[in-house]
Amino acid sequence: MNWGYTFSGLAVGLLVGLTGVGGGSLMTPLLVFLFGFKPAVAVGTDLLFAAITKTGGVWVHHNKHSSVDWKIVGWLALGSIPFALATLFVLKHFMEVGKETTGAITFTLGIALLLTAFSLIVRSVLLSRAAKLKPIDDEHSTPENAGRFKHLQIPATVLIGAVLGILVTLSSVGAGALGTVALLFLYPRMTTLKIVGTDLAHAIPLTAVAGLGHLSLGNVDLVLLGSLLIGSLPGIWIGSHLSAKIPERILRPILASILLLIGLKFVLQ
């Protein structure tokens, strides 16, 4: 076990607990820049890491709060899983013919980080607008009465799922922050708790499928994965308890600025 990886997992876990931003936005750049891992290995390892760590969160949301809309999860997965598999197939094909995939993964990672930075800013705007619409309580809200687009609600949700499937498979970023903001936009009258629970429930099959696909391509470091898990799980627990003491209005702009700079570096390199 590498204690440097474990400490990094602890640090990222703290930030995830404090801000609620998905670990991929923080973990993957850290693995690339600080430890020098190839982008493909960083992405593949982080995807399995995300699938494992998010499982506990869904258990809490579904069993304790009953705050998962499984119908929306199904619509998202209808778009994300096929496109994740298609993306993996393309990556495998490029590897078999000897074409380099690092450039595509790096560029997509940069775009995903820029979108995540933007989403951190937009999230507060969407939340304030949703509050004015008087959210429907979790027991009575449905995709039909909480949605924005009426008859186009299902196609719009499937389309968002497809975009997330490609982004997450190529970058490991998007299943958390981007998914939550997309659902806030699509379902403005749904409570934040149910939005987060639904996004978490969708992220598990998506990151698991994408992560196992990368594992089959040789893009997962299992020793690294174990070390990150040992550090991150207590980090998330500590961060979630500290979050009430540190104002979100201070943390999110700082984090958005950092992700913006990292994203630009990936895109422009």
Side-chain angles (χ1 to χ4, degrees):
M1 183 176 69
N2 187 305
W3 289 105
Y5 302 157
T6 303
F7 181 77
S8 298
L10 176 66
V12 170
L14 277 169
L15 285 171
V16 170
L18 283 168
T19 64
V21 175
S25 307
L26 306 164
M27 185 69 77
T28 306
L30 185 70
L31 294 177
V32 174
F33 287 133
L34 185 60
F35 294 108
F37 282 96
K38 292 181 178 179
V41 174
V43 168
T45 303
D46 183 63
L47 281 167
L48 283 185
F49 169 81
I52 295 169
T53 54
K54 288 177 187 293
T55 301
V58 169
W59 184 85
V60 171
H61 275 275
H62 179 57
N63 290 305
K64 192 172 181 179
H65 301 303
S66 298
S67 56
V68 175
D69 192 307
W70 293 104
K71 188 181 290 187
I72 296 175
V73 171
W75 294 342
L76 288 169
L78 190 62
S80 66
I81 301 300
F83 274 83
L85 292 171
T87 303
L88 288 166
F89 176 80
V90 172
L91 287 175
K92 182 179 180 181
H93 173 72
F94 282 165
M95 292 174 68
E96 287 175 347
V97 299
K99 287 189 176 181
E100 183 59 57
T101 59
T102 300
I105 291 175
T106 301
F107 182 79
T108 307
L109 177 57
I111 294 297
L113 289 171
L114 292 175
L115 290 173
T116 301
F118 178 71
S119 73
L120 290 176
I121 300 169
V122 171
R123 184 177 185 271
S124 59
V125 176
L126 291 175
L127 284 174
S128 63
R129 288 184 178 179
K132 294 177 182 177
L133 292 174
K134 296 181 181 179
I136 304 168
D137 64 86
D138 290 347
E139 187 177 344
H140 297 96
S141 69
T142 66
E144 291 76 20
N145 64 22
R148 181 184 296 273
F149 296 115
K150 305 299 181 185
H151 301 300
L152 295 176
Q153 197 67 31
I154 295 177
T157 306
V158 173
L159 177 61
I160 289 295
V163 173
L164 288 174
I166 297 170
L167 273 180
V168 170
T169 303
L170 284 174
S171 69
S172 79
V173 177
L178 292 180
T180 300
V181 168
L183 289 178
L184 281 170
F185 176 74
L186 289 173
Y187 299 92
R189 298 195 67 193
M190 194 167 282
T191 66
T192 305
L193 184 66
K194 197 167 189 176
I195 289 287
V196 172
T198 301
D199 179 59
L200 269 173
H202 167 249
I204 290 177
L206 173 54
T207 53
V209 167
L212 290 172
H214 276 278
L215 179 64
S216 71
L217 298 176
N219 292 339
V220 174
D221 187 316
L222 294 176
V223 175
L224 170 63
L225 175 62
S227 299
L228 293 175
L229 286 171
I230 290 171
S232 67
L233 295 177
I236 293 171
W237 185 85
I238 296 169
S240 63
H241 283 75
L242 290 175
S243 61
K245 301 179 180 180
I246 303 176
E248 184 178 297
R249 68 179 183 275
I250 295 175
L251 282 173
R252 283 187 176 270
I254 294 173
L255 188 57
S257 300
I258 293 171
L259 293 178
L260 180 65
L261 291 173
I262 297 173
L264 286 172
K265 182 173 177 59
F266 274 119
V267 169
L268 298 175
Q269 74 177 17

